[in-house]
Amino acid sequence: TDQVRLVGLTRTYGSGTSTVHALRGVRASFASGSFTAVMGPSGSGKSTLLQCAAGLDRPTSGQVFLGDREIGNLSENELTVLRRTRIGFVFQAFNLLPSLTAEQNVELPLRLAGRRPARGGVRDALARVGLAEQARRRPDALSGGQQQRVSLARALITRPDVLFADEPTGALDTNTSREVLELMSEVVRDTGMTLIMVTHDPVAASYADRVLFLVDGQVHTEVRGAGAREIA
Ligand code: ADP
Ligand code: ADP
């Protein structure tokens, strides 16, 4: 089944002579348990696609379906609830709160969703990303790779249907990138979660089972499987 579906997705910024067509009628489906990398030159619309698919930005026209729900007509409040309960995010700059420990950072999405953290649940999530020993540390006492693994545990703690990753390896060296990517691939395999990752990094894209190349706001090429790994 398709967890995310984009139909004629169009996003235009500005108006008149300064109109920018960031997305021009993108059609794409993302199956449950699939890992897609979105690549393309700077300005090709990757971030806009991610923002619209994640309900952080509204399309100018076209539709975004999460499951069988069209999210374009949801109110701001409904979108916020959706993001907190069904969607996880991983960012290039980790975006951890510096004053909170690893454990407190991971627990935060549960609190925001109004859910009581299950006993041991946060510790289990940290253990899964190999950070059981670092639970009480603050981000500045962790390496970049460790911070990204905390942010992965944080993204997964609500058991989202879809995980969006925006240049997740952009601030990591190659070996550390591979560790994080292997974890993310494992999560997709084990949970059936849908992973959509924007990246410039060929190493990161080589972990995906499909690569969508955007050019000038449109899907220019779609490559699946081993071909995706070669081209990336
Ligand atoms: P990418 O992520 O591939 O670099 P973006 O989605 O950021 O591409 O941008 C696509 C196009 O839309 C670019 O021309 C960019 O300048 C423009 N754009 C993106 N966000 C805005 C905005 N908030 N206001 C105006 N133009 C924007
Ligand atoms: P269940 O067995 O009930 O399906 P899991 O034990 O698989 O649940 O997952 C528990 C939590 O840990 C979920 O939030 C899930 O998204 C998350 N998770 C699953 N696999 C991983 C992993 N490899 N790394 C980090 N978190 C994970």
Side-chain angles (χ1 to χ4, degrees):
T1 59
D2 288 332
Q3 190 57 251
V4 180
R5 212 150 49 84
L6 311 177
V7 183
L9 182 62
T10 299
R11 179 65 165 100
T12 305
Y13 294 106
S15 60
T17 51
S18 62
T19 303
V20 175
H21 299 279
L23 294 176
R24 308 168 183 255
V26 170
R27 169 182 286 275
S29 294
F30 304 83
S32 300
S34 67
F35 178 0
T36 303
V38 180
M39 302 187 83
S42 181
S44 59
K46 302 182 296 294
S47 306
T48 305
L49 185 150
L50 201 73
Q51 302 270 320
C52 288
L56 290 164
D57 188 13
R58 287 179 189 275
T60 305
S61 65
Q63 296 162 312
V64 176
F65 292 90
L66 277 190
D68 46 20
R69 202 154 171 214
E70 211 255 287
I71 68 170
N73 305 319
L74 298 182
S75 69
E76 284 303 321
N77 284 342
E78 288 170 322
L79 278 179
T80 301
V81 170
L82 189 89
R83 285 196 301 268
R84 286 180 179 169
T85 56
R86 298 198 39 207
I87 291 174
F89 292 96
V90 174
F91 305 95
Q92 174 168 3
F94 321 132
N95 295 18
L96 298 171
L97 291 181
S99 63
L100 301 183
T101 63
E103 195 170 37
Q104 290 167 334
N105 268 287
V106 172
E107 192 177 276
L108 200 59
L110 290 177
R111 296 191 178 283
L112 289 173
R115 279 154 61 181
R116 176 185 277 273
R119 258 176 80 198
V122 170
R123 286 296 176 112
D124 285 350
L126 280 167
R128 278 170 186 277
V129 299
L131 293 176
E133 310 291 317
Q134 284 79 14
R136 296 287 172 83
R137 297 219 188 138
R138 292 194 214 296
D140 64 5
L142 298 172
S143 70
Q146 289 173 330
Q147 290 185 58
Q148 195 57 301
R149 284 186 278 149
V150 172
S151 89
L152 182 59
R154 176 184 59 183
L156 297 173
I157 196 72
T158 56
R159 302 180 178 228
D161 302 320
V162 189
L163 178 64
F164 292 98
D166 194 354
E167 298 280 3
T169 60
L172 305 177
D173 63 41
T174 304
N175 286 336
T176 311
S177 295
R178 289 192 176 281
E179 285 169 23
V180 168
L181 289 157
E182 260 152 40
L183 266 175
M184 296 204 302
S185 307
E186 225 174 271
V187 170
V188 170
R189 262 204 316 275
D190 296 349
T191 65
M193 185 182 304
T194 305
L195 174 51
I196 303 176
M197 171 180 73
V198 165
T199 189
H200 281 104
D201 177 3
V203 172
S206 73
Y207 282 79
D209 37 57
R210 178 177 64 154
V211 180
L212 294 183
F213 290 92
L214 296 190
V215 176
D216 202 14
Q218 293 183 313
V219 177
H220 179 270
T221 318
E222 173 177 344
V223 187
R224 289 171 187 278
R229 278 178 279 284
E230 268 167 40
I231 286 185

